[in-house]
Every structure is written in structure tokens, then in C-alpha cells.
Amino acid sequence: MKTGNHPAKTNAYHHGNLRQSLVDSAVAILEHSGVPGLSLRAVAKASGVSQAAPYSHFSNKQSLLAEVARVGYVRFCERMARELDRDDNRLVGLGKGYVFFALENPALFHLMFSGELAQLVNVDEIDDAFLQGYQMLVDVIAENPLTQFGSDLPHLDTAYAWSVVHGIATLILGNQISAKRYNLNTDEELVEKMLEKYFSATEEVT
Amino acid sequence: MKTGNHPAKTNAYHHGNLRQSLVDSAVAILEHSGVPGLSLRAVAKASGVSQAAPYSHFSNKQSLLAEVARVGYVRFCERMARELDRDDNRLVGLGKGYVFFALENPALFHLMFSGELAQLVNVDEIDDAFLQGYQMLVDVIAENPLTQFGSDLPHLDTAYAWSVVHGIATLILGNQISAKRYNLNTDEELVEKMLEKYFSATEEVT
DNA sequence: CGACTTATCTTAGCGATGTCAAGATCGACG
DNA sequence: CGTCGATCTTGACATCGCTAAGATAAGTCG
């Protein structure tokens, strides 16, 4: 039942690396059982310890979930970075990475942005992974301004671009928007078509 | 503790109009206690009945929540309709109504679009209120096409406009976007500025 | 080496939750 | 009046997050 990574394991009683193991177990449970299956007791059992053991490493369930979200932010940035250079328009690429991550990790994405962890994880006192992702967007917008909307309030463009991709991701996950409504085969195709159409009018800048 | 509306009440044992009363109680609890305070037992107590009474009218908690979401859709449409004609650009007005509703009813909005009720309430087999709201958007886009993005795939424009307003609403609710980051006083001001900038380039159509 | 300290983990239990089974109540209808 | 079906109550079960009390073992210091 253990997740397998106990590098500092010492004996059967003391786990050795329980904190990290709990986070890994939680991520694994979240991926194949979703949010409803993610109970503290299930996480503890998956790591081979008793129900109350997590409280030696996390003050409560929210603290564990904040760690899980942090893992999510790291993977999120990696996913966006992977897609960033595969597109002629870097903003389109960044957007694809954003939405694709959401589609590939629905439960994790929901946890990261549900706002239930907003007290612990918000933009003001956020961890580095989240800020790194936000900085990607700021940089891409800076190197390729959205002048098709005019040059007033240029700093709003980051919030706008973020809203577009976040809205697409959320609505697809909630089944309010789907590929078959637009006679497309996959949601990925829908995302590409939307981002290419609504993020691409930046040629006139040069 | 009762919500007050028992028009068909018959006696102390049989409530008379429990189904509607439960929905009303749930909406009220959701508004001033949020999702975490919305337990079936609390709803039952607020309507003055025992814990298991709701199961005579709803198969489970999700069924009740689906009813609550339906109430939310009705109010949602009313809110958008109220804002629709107050703007020169009707799309901007519709968007304001969309986001303002989310800001004014955060818990209800979250319930309506969280996707947890997606099996019960989706766009395919949705109730009239939801479809009415979607039709508002379709009509506004039809009478004022977003030709600034080109005229190919025009049916994607509804999904795009929806994504923009939904993304703005969700990110503000999750505290990822806020007015003070843009030196504005209120979130409403931020919403207006964004929608006017990114939804207004439709003059060249006429 | 041996005793003390501290972090870690277990067992037991509390209150709250969603849900179900059994039975009580009462209006409607013959 | 008597039966029936819908409605509601009581009581219970499993699970949940969380806490208290105590067991275990690793580290430290004499």
C-alpha cells in the first residue's frame, strides 16, 4: 500500500519520510479517485500509517492539500513550458499548455484554483512555482503585446489572457463547452482553434 | 427556524410544502454560510423537519443541490437581463451581468458551475433557465458579430465570449485577479474596464 | 553504557455528515 | 369507518476531520 519512496526509512514504526510520502499518496489518489476520494484516512492508509499520523506533519487537511496544490503548480509550469516553444505564437502555445494541463489533470487543476485554498495559497503570498507560471504569461505578453485591443491599460492584458484560457479550461471541465458541439473530434482540437483565432492577431505590431 | 412559506401547510406533522421550503432554506444557508455550511441536516432543521425528511422529496443531497442550482440559473438570467440594456454595447452589458452575479452570489455561482452537478445539470439536458441564459449570449453575438477576430468559425464566438466572462468571474472569486493589483477601487470597476476594452471593437461591422 | 528528551506514530474516541431501515402519522378515498 | 399511500420521525451505520493519551524509537548527553 505504500507509495514506495522511503529513502530515509528506519523501521516499521517510524516511517522515515512520511511527509513526502503523504503528499505523493494524495496526488496519486487525486488522480485516479478525484476530490471525493481524497480523505485524510485514505491518504494515511495509502502511505501505510494510521489515521492520525499525518497530524505529525500537517496541522490539518488543508495544509496537506496546499502541499498537493504546490506539486500541481510545478507540473503546471512544466506543462506550459513544454508547449511554449512548439507554437509560432508563443501566447497560443502558453495557452495550450494551460488548458491541456487542466484537461489532463482535472482534479488537480480544480484543487489548485477552486479558491478553497485561497487563504493559504493566493497570489500575494504564493510559492515560487505559481509565480513562475504567472511570470511566463507576463513575459510572453510583454514580448508580444495585444495591440489589437488598443494600447491603453496594457497591464490589463495579462489578466485578460489569463481569463480567456482559464475560462476555456473551466468550461470544458464543467462540460459546458465540448468539442462535439462544434463538430470537432477532441477537446484539444477545440482549444487549438479557439486560441489560434482569438490570440493570433498580433502581426501588425512588428 | 422555518423559512416562512408554507402555503399548503396542513398540520405540525405533515409540512405541506416541504420540497419548496427545503430549496429555499438551502439557498438561504448557501448565501450566508457558503458551501461548507450547507449540510442536509442543517437544511432540514432550517425547514423545521427531521434529518431524514428530505429523502421523501429528493433521492439524495445532489438532487437537492441541483434544484438549488436551478434557482441560481433563474436569478442569473434575471441579473444578466437587468444589465443587458444599460450598456451601449449589449455584449459588454451581458458580460457585466454575468460577472456581477458571480461576485454577488459567490457560493451559488460556484455550485452552479463547479461541475460536481455536471452529471445532473449539463448543457445537453439542462433546464429552461440555463438555456435561456445561453440563448441571450447567442442572440447578442448574432446581432453584433465579433468580426474583429475574423469571420471564420463564427459559431466559436459564443464559446469565446463565454470563456472570457467566466474566466474573469472565476479568477476574481479565487482571488487570483483583484482590483487592487490594477490600482482600482472595486472589482466592479475592473470588470467594466476589461469588458469595455476587450468586447468593444465591433464598430466596423455596421 | 545508560538515562533523559523529543519527534513520530498508534489507539481510542468525539461530533458531524450522508444515507438507510423501520415505524408513526395523517389526509384521501372507497 | 377502514384501508392505503404519501409523508415524516426515530434510530442507527459507516465515514469523515480532528484531538487526547500513550507507546515507540532515535538522538543526545552524562
Side-chain angles (χ1 to χ4, degrees):
Chain A
M1 279 296 175
K2 304 187 180 182
T3 49
N5 51 340
H6 313 294
K9 174 163 183 171
T10 53
N11 58 54
Y13 195 94
H14 282 65
H15 184 286
N17 195 14
L18 182 56
R19 184 186 168 94
Q20 187 59 46
S21 174
L22 288 170
V23 175
D24 295 342
S25 299
V27 172
I29 291 175
L30 196 61
E31 281 174 347
H32 82 297
S33 299
V35 174
L38 186 60
S39 70
L40 254 190
R41 295 166 120 100
V43 173
K45 182 178 292 184
S47 285
V49 293
S50 74
Q51 45 183 261
Y55 288 92
S56 293
H57 301 273
F58 299 96
S59 58
N60 50 32
K61 186 183 181 181
Q62 276 216 332
S63 300
L64 210 195
L65 296 189
E67 263 319 293
V68 173
R70 204 156 293 157
V71 172
Y73 292 133
V74 173
R75 297 187 184 181
F76 184 49
C77 290
E78 293 170 353
R79 188 71 183 83
M80 285 193 292
R82 181 148 63 92
E83 212 78 23
L84 193 56
D85 292 317
R86 304 229 292 228
D87 237 277
D88 292 339
N89 187 320
R90 285 168 60 81
L91 182 57
V92 172
L94 190 68
K96 283 187 193 175
Y98 192 108
V99 183
F100 287 173
F101 175 87
L103 300 185
E104 294 157 4
N105 309 275
L108 195 52
F109 183 81
H110 182 263
L111 178 68
M112 290 159 56
F113 289 105
S114 67
E116 298 163 15
L117 304 174
Q119 307 99 5
L120 300 169
V121 182
N122 60 49
V123 178
D124 291 330
E125 43 176 277
I126 204 68
D127 58 306
D128 292 339
F130 190 99
L131 277 180
Q132 182 186 337
Y134 184 73
Q135 195 60 41
M136 281 191 203
L137 175 61
V138 172
D139 293 344
V140 169
I141 295 279
E143 75 191 31
N144 223 344
L146 301 181
T147 50
Q148 69 264 33
F149 298 111
S151 54
D152 61 321
L153 304 173
H155 53 304
L156 266 191
D157 291 348
T158 56
Y160 163 76
W162 193 357
S163 297
V164 173
V165 293
H166 194 79
I168 293 174
T170 306
L171 289 177
I172 291 180
L173 286 184
N175 205 31
Q176 279 98 13
I177 285 179
S178 65
K180 71 171 198 288
R181 200 183 321 285
Y182 297 96
N183 289 65
L184 299 176
N185 292 324
T186 66
D187 286 333
E188 286 76 13
E189 207 177 328
L190 173 63
V191 172
E192 289 175 5
K193 285 218 182 319
M194 289 187 69
L195 292 181
E196 281 162 11
K197 175 171 182 182
Y198 301 105
F199 272 174
S200 288
T202 54
E203 301 85 17
E204 59 206 286
V205 184
T206 53
Chain B
M1 277 295 175
K2 304 186 180 183
T3 48
N5 50 341
H6 313 293
K9 174 164 184 170
T10 52
N11 58 54
Y13 196 93
H14 283 66
H15 185 286
N17 196 14
L18 182 56
R19 185 186 168 93
Q20 186 60 45
S21 174
L22 289 169
V23 175
D24 295 342
S25 299
V27 172
I29 291 175
L30 197 61
E31 281 174 345
H32 83 295
S33 298
V35 173
L38 186 61
S39 70
L40 254 190
R41 294 166 119 99
V43 172
K45 183 178 292 184
S47 285
V49 294
S50 74
Q51 46 184 259
Y55 287 91
S56 293
H57 301 274
F58 300 95
S59 58
N60 50 32
K61 187 183 183 182
Q62 275 216 332
S63 301
L64 209 197
L65 296 188
E67 259 326 285
V68 174
R70 204 156 293 158
V71 173
Y73 292 134
V74 173
R75 297 189 184 181
F76 185 48
C77 290
E78 293 170 353
R79 188 69 182 85
M80 285 193 292
R82 180 147 64 91
E83 212 77 24
L84 194 56
D85 293 316
R86 305 229 290 229
D87 237 277
D88 293 339
N89 187 321
R90 285 167 60 81
L91 182 57
V92 172
L94 190 69
K96 284 187 192 175
Y98 192 108
V99 183
F100 287 174
F101 175 86
L103 300 185
E104 294 158 3
N105 309 276
L108 195 52
F109 183 82
H110 182 265
L111 179 67
M112 290 159 56
F113 290 104
S114 66
E116 298 163 14
L117 305 174
Q119 306 98 5
L120 301 168
V121 183
N122 60 49
V123 177
D124 291 328
E125 43 177 277
I126 202 68
D127 57 304
D128 291 338
F130 190 98
L131 278 180
Q132 181 186 338
Y134 184 73
Q135 195 60 42
M136 280 190 204
L137 175 60
V138 173
D139 293 344
V140 169
I141 295 279
E143 75 191 32
N144 223 345
L146 301 180
T147 51
Q148 67 266 33
F149 298 111
S151 53
D152 62 320
L153 305 173
H155 52 305
L156 266 190
D157 292 348
T158 56
Y160 164 76
W162 194 357
S163 297
V164 172
V165 292
H166 194 78
I168 293 174
T170 305
L171 289 177
I172 291 180
L173 286 184
N175 205 30
Q176 278 99 13
I177 285 179
S178 65
K180 73 169 198 288
R181 200 183 321 285
Y182 298 95
N183 289 64
L184 299 176
N185 293 324
T186 66
D187 287 333
E188 287 75 14
E189 207 177 328
L190 172 63
V191 172
E192 288 175 5
K193 285 216 182 321
M194 289 188 70
L195 292 180
E196 281 162 10
K197 176 170 182 183
Y198 301 105
F199 272 173
S200 289
T202 54
E203 300 85 17
E204 57 205 288
V205 183
T206 54

